[in-house]
Amino acid sequence: MKRYKHAASGILVPLVALALWQLLSSMGWVNATILPSPLRVLVKWWAYLRPLEAFDSAQGSYLKWCLSGELIQDALGSLYRVLVGFFIGGGLALPLGLAMGYSRVMYGLFNPLVQVLRPIPPIAYIPLSILWFGLGNPPAVFLISIGAFFPVLMNTVAGVQNVDSIYLRVGRNLGASRLTQFTHIILPAATPYIFTGARIGMGTAFIVVIVSEMIAVNNGLGYRILEAREYLWSDKIIAGMFTIGLLGLGIDTLMSGLSTHLLKWHRGLEQS
Amino acid sequence: MSGAKHISIQGVHKVFQSGGQEVYALKAIDLEVARGEFVCLLGPSGCGKSTLLNAVAGFSLPSSGTITVEGVPITEPGPDRGMVFQEYALFPWMTVEQNIAFGLQIKQVAKAVIQAKVDELLVLLNLQDFRRRYPKDLSGGMRQRVAIARVLAIDSPIMLMDEPFGALDALTRRNLQDELLRLWTELKKTILFVTHSIEEALYLADRTVVMTYRPGTIKRDLSIDLPRPRDVASPAFNALKKELSQLLMEEQHRHQQDEFKGAAVD
Ligand SMILES: Nc1ncnc2c1ncn2[C@@H]1O[C@H](COP(=O)(O)OP(=O)(O)OP(=O)(O)O)[C@@H](O)[C@H]1O
Ligand SMILES: [Mg+2]
């Protein structure tokens, strides 16, 4: 009961905002090119989502037809780049972060460079990425991996460095080798941090993908809203933006669901 | 009970640097523990009991002096000196079962043997119903029992126990005390056991060592020659209890005066 009340009050503000927006448009107070009505956005969204041609079994399966809409193709293109970039960036950051957190020598060697590179926003790499990789997916994936790399790295380092020394003492008391200490104590103890880093990294990857699509490729959600601007299709721009928002929300929910599932043992999780 | 020397602590000092100040935690500690002996360390909070246990465990070596086990100086921690930590320190990412099994897994004992040992310990410590729970879902007393089971699993000749029964209710506490005594006689372990409770020390120990507060020194080394199982209501038990209370009260008093002086200076 309480939960429904909660959900109901959560819908209230968006509904009011939507009504206000619709009112502004219907009354003709704003130019429809600048701000189209929510209804028009919804209609455009549907047109953007649905397959362009009628179903024809000669062209392929029904599922393929369902996914042939422009919006779905764009979303899949963006998702693909996010995932590839995230796994490359995160995949490089994880081992380096573990090494830097575990070994003072590694930390001393790499930390100065990391601290210098970290404040450079991934977007600043755009010119170089095009110079190095040309156009298409490679520069986009490169930018996204940089975006995912640093959050995963910093959190992994912090996670390993913050392992409570009492656990290491227990490990040594029970006779654990250094390898066992690492695999059975340090690594699991650091996972809550690593997951936080992955979640932030995924968020950054998602921001960067939109930007990178605006310059390097000719599909994807970022490309599409920029293209729509050329034609002054503000309804399509807004439809695209909402799609980006929903996709981001979906990915984040999935990530947090995964971490809750894998970190059943973790104390702080029941509340969040 | 007087076998060969098992643990030998000679002239041990331990000084901590804390915020530019020196804290004299242990001063000139001499203590010999025979093989198979059950020794309790008793003293006010902050007198250095955990510090002494940590030194024997090999976590923080003494500032000066030597500690030997079977004549060999201690240089690092090892599974021959299993420790029950005051903070329990269960691995939160392992279930009760996995926590208990961990020490045996390290020794690469066969899976079936581990399982049998874990089952036995779960029954012994009354934890059968919680074997798949994570530590966060356990009460303080249960956690303490898991910590004890984890050390019992590795079956070390020396057991270092830092207030292992502190968080238990009276009945569970008595049961575990009896259980520990049974294991101790059966497995002939050497036990160094820290407690705050005079009664616990008298119920368990062959010898009770009373420590002083800052610097931590040995105030009295008292043999408890009462037959087991000990009757806590017997006159002899109560006479000893009175004697120890007296000693501790003196220390407590000194400690309070000390703190009072410290507060006045600050
Ligand atoms: N790492 C440390 N750095 C500085 N001071 C320390 C450190 N560890 C212990 N001490 C100090 O040494 C003294 C002895 O501490 P210890 O933990 O051994 O006491 P204890 O007898 O176990 O007390 P309790 O019964 O409360 O557990 C205390 O005054 C404490 O403040
Ligand atoms: Mg202590």
Side-chain angles (χ1 to χ4, degrees):
Chain A
M1 198 57 216
K2 217 168 177 180
R3 265 184 76 170
Y4 290 122
K5 259 191 195 159
H6 230 76
S9 69
I11 305 183
L12 197 66
V13 172
L15 275 183
V16 169
L18 219 60
L20 221 67
W21 176 11
Q22 182 65 49
L23 193 74
L24 278 174
S25 308
S26 321
M27 304 296 278
W29 288 339
V30 288
N31 182 338
T33 315
I34 292 175
L35 186 66
S37 77
L39 226 58
R40 263 191 61 189
V41 170
L42 197 68
V43 169
K44 190 71 180 189
W45 201 343
W46 173 242
Y48 181 18
L49 177 73
R50 86 165 204 269
L52 282 177
E53 279 128 49
F55 176 58
D56 172 8
S57 58
Q59 295 290 320
S61 70
Y62 187 70
L63 181 71
K64 196 178 157 204
W65 177 75
C66 278
L67 296 177
S68 71
E70 192 183 30
L71 178 126
I72 308 250
Q73 288 302 311
D74 283 338
L76 286 176
S78 298
L79 200 62
Y80 169 78
R81 285 185 271 272
V82 165
L83 290 180
V84 174
F86 174 79
F87 280 111
I88 293 176
L92 291 172
L94 185 65
L96 181 62
L98 291 174
M100 280 174 69
Y102 186 65
S103 143
R104 262 168 218 265
V105 175
M106 288 295 281
Y107 188 81
L109 281 174
F110 282 91
N111 193 47
L113 181 64
V114 167
Q115 293 307 335
V116 170
L117 294 182
R118 192 166 66 103
I120 304 175
I123 294 158
Y125 286 91
I126 287 176
L128 257 193
S129 72
I130 292 175
L131 210 61
W132 288 353
F133 300 103
L135 291 176
N137 272 338
V141 166
F142 171 71
L143 293 173
I144 295 161
S145 5
I146 288 176
F149 181 82
F150 287 101
V152 175
L153 181 74
M154 300 323 286
N155 280 278
T156 304
V157 172
V160 175
Q161 286 178 341
N162 283 314
V163 174
D164 194 334
S165 66
I166 186 97
Y167 298 133
L168 299 174
R169 288 211 265 162
V170 176
R172 289 168 68 199
N173 186 244
L174 296 175
S177 66
R178 285 170 77 88
L179 181 67
T180 308
Q181 296 245 36
F182 190 80
T183 55
H184 285 71
I185 299 176
I186 294 175
L187 207 54
T191 43
Y193 281 83
I194 297 174
F195 272 75
T196 305
R199 203 170 154 189
I200 300 171
M202 189 60 106
T204 317
F206 202 70
I207 293 169
V208 177
V209 75
I210 300 301
V211 178
S212 73
E213 285 170 349
M214 290 184 169
I215 43 122
V217 293
N218 50 18
N219 65 10
L221 295 164
Y223 169 78
R224 201 61 63 197
I225 61 175
L226 205 69
E227 184 199 48
R229 198 213 54 181
E230 309 262 324
Y231 301 100
L232 299 180
W233 289 337
S234 47
D235 44 3
K236 192 169 181 180
I237 294 178
I238 296 174
M241 285 171 64
F242 275 115
T243 309
I244 291 168
L246 288 177
L247 193 61
L249 179 67
I251 291 176
D252 194 59
T253 308
L254 228 75
M255 293 284 287
S256 86
L258 185 71
S259 84
T260 311
H261 177 72
L262 289 176
L263 298 178
K264 280 196 291 268
W265 54 269
H266 196 245
R267 220 167 226 293
L269 282 173
E270 308 101 301
Q271 293 98 330
S272 68
Chain B
M1 277 303 144
S2 55
K5 270 193 298 195
H6 199 178
I7 307 170
S8 167
I9 301 169
Q10 280 164 347
V12 162
H13 294 249
K14 180 77 191 182
V15 185
F16 287 113
Q17 304 291 340
S18 157
Q21 275 193 326
E22 293 198 335
V23 176
Y24 229 117
L26 296 175
K27 186 171 185 178
I29 301 278
D30 291 306
L31 185 66
E32 307 250 298
V33 182
R35 182 177 302 284
E37 201 173 20
F38 197 137
V39 174
C40 274
L41 293 174
L42 195 62
S45 182
C47 71
K49 306 182 294 294
S50 295
T51 305
L52 186 56
L53 225 54
N54 274 319
V56 177
F59 292 124
S60 102
L61 299 175
S63 310
S64 65
T66 54
I67 302 178
T68 59
V69 167
E70 310 203 58
V72 182
I74 285 170
T75 53
E76 58 175 9
D80 59 320
R81 286 153 282 143
M83 176 133 166
V84 178
F85 291 83
Q86 193 172 3
E87 312 84 335
Y88 320 151
L90 300 179
F91 298 122
W93 52 88
M94 294 185 192
T95 60
V96 166
E97 232 172 0
Q98 291 166 337
N99 264 289
I100 299 173
F102 188 53
L104 294 172
Q105 236 176 304
I106 289 169
K107 284 197 204 166
Q108 303 189 324
V109 175
K111 274 219 169 77
V113 179
I114 297 182
Q115 196 55 54
K117 186 84 196 173
V118 168
D119 287 342
E120 181 195 320
L121 287 166
L122 286 169
V123 172
L124 180 65
L125 289 145
N126 222 336
L127 289 162
Q128 309 94 299
D129 297 342
F130 307 100
R131 57 193 307 157
R132 296 211 165 75
R133 295 266 194 98
Y134 287 98
K136 75 175 169 85
D137 299 327
L138 301 178
S139 72
M142 289 179 196
R143 285 180 205 168
Q144 207 153 43
R145 272 156 27 209
V146 179
I148 294 163
R150 179 169 66 182
V151 165
L152 287 177
I154 61 171
D155 199 15
S156 52
I158 294 176
M159 285 186 34
L160 307 170
M161 308 182 86
D162 200 347
E163 299 186 38
F165 303 148
L168 303 176
D169 60 278
L171 192 65
T172 316
R173 190 174 184 142
R174 179 49 43 90
N175 281 338
L176 282 180
Q177 286 168 344
D178 287 335
E179 210 45 67
L180 182 63
L181 286 174
R182 192 183 68 76
L183 286 168
W184 167 68
T185 12
E186 201 174 286
L187 304 172
K188 306 192 169 44
K189 293 187 184 302
T190 304
I191 299 182
L192 202 52
F193 187 108
V194 169
T195 178
H196 270 130
S197 156
I198 295 173
E199 185 169 309
E200 182 165 70
L202 289 176
Y203 190 72
L204 293 174
D206 292 323
R207 263 164 71 204
T208 294
V209 174
V210 180
M211 291 178 67
T212 62
Y213 179 79
R214 281 210 190 164
T217 59
I218 291 177
K219 187 182 178 84
R220 180 72 66 83
D221 189 338
L222 194 69
S223 288
I224 320 286
D225 292 322
L226 302 174
R228 293 189 176 89
R230 290 178 179 160
D231 177 5
V232 295
S234 72
F237 193 96
N238 278 296
L240 281 169
K241 200 165 159 181
K242 215 174 207 165
E243 187 178 345
L244 283 178
S245 304
Q246 193 62 41
L247 287 170
L248 273 182
M249 211 95 88
E250 277 171 32
E251 248 350 270
Q252 204 76 44
H253 191 63
R254 215 172 58 77
H255 167 180
Q256 268 161 13
Q257 274 188 333
D258 220 47
E259 297 221 315
F260 183 70
K261 262 190 278 173
V265 171
D266 291 342

